[in-house]
Amino acid sequence: MTDICYPPGLIGVDDVIARLVALARTQSPATETLPLAQAAGRVLATDINAPRDVPPEANSAMDGVAFRHADLSASGELRISQRIPAGVAPTPLEPGTAARIFTGAIIPPGADTVVMQEQCELTPDHVRLLKIPSPGANVRPAGQDVAQGQPMLARGLRLNAAALGLAASAGLASLPVHVPLRVAILCTGDELLEPGEPWRSGSIYNSNRPMLAALLRGWGCDVIDLGKVADSLADTEAALARAAASGADVIISTGGVSVGEEDHVRAALVARGEIDFWKVAIKPGKPVAVGQIGNARFIGLPGNPQSVFVTALLLARPFLLARQGQSAVLPPSFAVAAGFERSRAADRREYLRVQLQEAGAGRIQVPHPQQSSGALLSAVWADGLALVEAGAPVQAGDLLPFLPFSVLLAP
Ligand code: AMP
Ligand code: MG
């Protein structure tokens, strides 16, 4: 880690994320048991050790012939004494003979090797091996994937298709998972119109509302959409009280969080609960309020849509995932060459909306020309975010962290 000196009063992004994740980890979400088909996308609530060997018995990896390697004579010929398709329990192998066997079928006691059928001359009751496999070849031993009693799925894992497949392979029909997090959202601003309402001068359409709701659902949260809040202290206080009474675990607002005369989120939070206010060394973004109202944790995001998008992805996401009990919450980044230059070093860490583009043998990250915190087109165009650290100019070809939206938009 490099030591970067941010302007006074500003907290570094990594520090803010660490504080938010630590806050989230102080609470453990409730647990329920769900059938596998309903557990996809949930967070596993306990460690699971394999209740049995997977696979449960040694079986053949090939269509072919099973035999005991030590029984092979120089001629490579053996009599076939049984036929074992998948789904059938074999009888012990008659010594000195072979068994016709198919992929997934159980290796008969007494056999230890399978030769694939392409390497045999086969008749229904006789085999001649054209190639001698090494001892143990083409046998998948019992417990090859995971042995009984061994750790199989770790608590805090977001259950994806592979995890559900593995659980099923061990015979598990259901899993203990955390219940979804309930997140109430509020959008402040007298200027806001809902899409569908006729436009009038002085107004803009509320873009944060559907964007934030979609982000939250993508991260596994249940959304309680409380709509819009007028720019007055009384309305903001009433909205926070309503949000706290909604049964939400977390409340997220947009706008009204800076220090302007029309910004009431901070004062309302002080009146109704507890507040920590942080100025984050991030661009786009900066003011973020964090606090508590009743039983709900509160996060106040900025108002500009691009600031909402970026701060939600980078700051709210790790908090929300940790609050759901998920263990891995920090997005991996990939070093990609900069396809741009910056002669002046910034005093806040900047996240640029970038596209990955082919350049020679490799790839470069190219920023959208419009990086305004009010403009959203760049986020639709982009593949992810380039991290430009504060205090350092950028030269074309410098390796910068690239954070893909495919990761950030997912839990
Ligand atoms: P604020 O932090 O409330 O001063 O908002 C900063 C900027 O973001 C202003 O230009 C607002 O009009 C704009 N803004 C705030 N909330 C929204 C929203 N929900 N949708 C679109 N723009 C918004
Ligand atoms: Mg406002």
Side-chain angles (χ1 to χ4, degrees):
M1 287 236 49
T2 46
D3 279 334
I4 295 155
C5 210
Y6 298 113
L10 261 61
I11 312 173
V13 173
D14 296 333
D15 198 2
V16 166
I17 294 171
R19 292 186 197 196
L20 284 169
V21 170
L23 276 178
R25 298 265 187 238
T26 60
Q27 282 174 292
S28 185
T31 298
E32 63 183 334
T33 297
L34 286 184
L36 290 193
Q38 288 165 40
R42 293 292 194 90
V43 176
L44 188 63
T46 58
D47 288 330
I48 306 281
N49 293 343
R52 63 179 69 238
D53 282 343
V54 183
E57 299 172 277
N59 66 90
S60 178
M62 292 286 172
D63 289 342
V65 172
F67 60 99
R68 193 161 77 109
H69 205 275
D71 287 350
L72 267 189
S73 62
S75 70
E77 290 184 33
L78 291 165
R79 179 169 67 80
I80 291 179
S81 57
Q82 66 174 309
R83 186 173 184 280
I84 317 168
V88 163
T91 54
L93 187 67
E94 212 180 292
T97 72
R100 182 74 167 111
I101 199 162
F102 299 89
T103 303
I106 306 308
I107 305 290
D112 56 17
T113 305
V114 170
V115 59
M116 58 198 282
Q117 62 191 18
E118 290 80 358
Q119 294 175 349
C120 303
E121 267 174 25
L122 262 172
T123 65
D125 54 8
H126 193 264
V127 63
R128 190 164 75 87
L129 276 60
L130 304 176
K131 207 169 153 200
I132 310 294
S134 48
N138 302 317
V139 173
R140 302 190 286 218
Q144 181 190 52
D145 195 358
V146 52
Q148 181 174 12
Q150 291 303 299
M152 188 172 74
L153 295 168
R155 174 181 159 207
L157 181 74
R158 178 77 60 171
L159 293 168
N160 62 13
L164 295 175
L166 182 64
S169 73
L172 294 168
S174 59
L175 288 171
V177 295
H178 290 303
V179 301
L181 198 64
R182 287 157 305 172
V183 184
I185 60 174
L186 300 165
C187 296
T188 72
D190 281 342
E191 70 278 36
L192 299 180
L193 283 179
E194 296 309 323
E197 288 184 315
W199 183 79
R200 59 172 186 271
S201 179
S203 60
I204 55 166
Y205 286 111
N206 184 350
S207 45
N208 289 338
R209 186 179 182 182
M211 182 172 69
L212 189 57
L215 286 173
L216 295 170
R217 292 195 181 101
W219 297 329
C221 303
D222 285 347
V223 175
I224 305 170
D225 185 348
L226 296 177
K228 146 179 107 172
V229 183
D231 285 322
S232 77
L233 182 58
D235 282 305
T236 311
E237 275 193 46
L240 291 187
R242 216 169 47 243
S246 71
D249 304 299
V250 179
I251 303 166
I252 300 184
S253 67
T254 68
V257 78
S258 15
V259 289
E261 280 172 30
E262 298 292 337
D263 295 324
H264 302 288
V265 168
R266 282 216 280 173
L269 194 54
V270 169
R272 293 282 171 166
E274 291 156 40
I275 181 177
D276 269 318
F277 180 74
W278 302 334
K279 278 193 191 150
V280 188
I282 187 172
K283 189 178 172 192
K286 194 149 102 181
V288 173
V290 176
Q292 182 84 24
I293 314 168
N295 293 324
R297 186 70 68 187
F298 175 86
I299 300 181
L301 297 178
N304 276 306
Q306 191 59 253
S307 304
V308 171
F309 189 63
V310 169
T311 54
L313 293 179
L314 295 167
L315 310 181
R317 177 181 176 274
F319 170 84
L320 293 167
L321 299 185
R323 184 65 183 74
Q324 293 175 65
Q326 186 170 324
S327 30
V329 300
L330 299 182
S333 65
F334 305 89
V336 177
F340 62 96
E341 287 185 341
R342 272 295 171 85
S343 49
R344 231 158 35 94
D347 63 358
R348 285 182 277 166
R349 182 189 282 182
E350 194 164 353
Y351 290 92
L352 302 173
R353 272 68 68 210
V354 293
Q355 243 185 20
L356 292 182
Q357 294 179 4
E358 305 293 333
R363 282 179 159 199
I364 53 172
Q365 37 184 344
V366 177
H368 191 277
Q370 177 54 271
Q371 296 282 331
S372 158
S373 61
L376 274 180
L377 184 68
S378 61
V380 176
W381 170 89
D383 299 312
L385 300 173
L387 187 164
V388 179
E389 196 52 272
V394 178
Q395 280 169 13
D398 284 356
L399 289 179
L400 302 180
F402 167 75
L403 293 101
F405 285 151
S406 55
V407 169
L408 293 172
L409 296 172

